[in-house]
Amino acid sequence: MSAEHTSRPGIAEGHVASTDRLPPRAVPTRLSFRRSPLALAGAAFFLVAAIPFAFGAPWLWLVYVLPLAFSYWIVRVRTVVDAESVTARRPFSSRRVPWTEISSLRLGKKSRVSAVLTDGTELPLPTVHVRDLPVLAAVSGGRLPDPAQAGAPTPEPPSTPERT
């Protein structure tokens, strides 16, 4: 393992943030696209900031449900991709789809990505954005085309001037 892998344990474990760049020839067999754990700091801040409000009147302590629900959402929602399937995890459900049932990807508003299944339905892929498509294509094992390679122009051979 190279020094770059040991200094970045998230990539070695298969967890990739949207800002991570995979080194060449380092394609993990399983990837988990998820929200940044730093968002939990926002939930913790809201939890502390709600203390005066929560004790202001009876039943206002229920305001603590909001940061707890937000924390659960951050930890639960993700897309897990491996060589056999794609798993989309939502707050209260999970769906695993084998690669053979995915016909294409659909790019939506705000750089959201959905998998179009062979029966015509769409499976939204939470936390997967357009910028993640090259990594998603690499983990798919060639089942999805790499948009960075597909859009690259083919270099033409230099032309020699004609002599007359």
Side-chain angles (χ1 to χ4, degrees):
M1 216 179 205
S2 68
E4 188 171 332
H5 283 95
T6 57
S7 66
R8 305 285 305 272
I11 290 176
E13 295 169 359
H15 301 289
V16 177
S18 60
T19 56
D20 288 337
R21 298 288 179 239
L22 290 177
R25 291 184 241 111
V27 179
T29 57
R30 180 182 165 119
L31 260 173
S32 178
F33 297 93
R34 60 184 178 165
R35 301 266 182 232
S36 171
L38 188 58
L40 291 172
F45 175 75
F46 184 78
L47 194 67
V48 171
I51 290 174
F53 182 75
F55 292 107
W59 297 103
L60 284 181
W61 59 269
L62 289 173
V63 75
Y64 287 131
V65 171
L66 292 173
L68 293 176
F70 182 63
S71 299
Y72 173 76
W73 179 75
I74 291 169
V75 171
R76 171 78 178 156
V77 174
R78 68 182 64 194
T79 299
V80 180
V81 181
D82 58 19
E84 291 84 31
S85 65
V86 175
T87 305
R89 290 178 60 183
R90 295 283 183 186
F92 302 108
S93 66
S94 180
R95 184 167 178 196
R96 185 174 190 253
V97 178
W99 282 109
T100 56
E101 292 184 23
I102 298 176
S103 63
S104 64
L105 295 179
R106 182 180 152 305
L107 308 179
K109 293 181 180 178
K110 297 185 180 182
S111 75
R112 301 287 182 202
V113 177
S114 297
V116 179
L117 305 179
T118 54
D119 62 358
T121 60
E122 288 188 17
L123 174 66
L125 301 176
T127 66
V128 176
H129 299 281
V130 173
R131 66 180 174 256
D132 300 322
L133 289 180
V135 178
L136 186 67
V139 175
S140 75
R143 292 178 182 94
L144 293 176
D146 186 358
Q149 299 295 331
T154 325
E156 296 180 16
S159 62
T160 56
E162 292 182 22
R163 292 188 180 196
T164 55

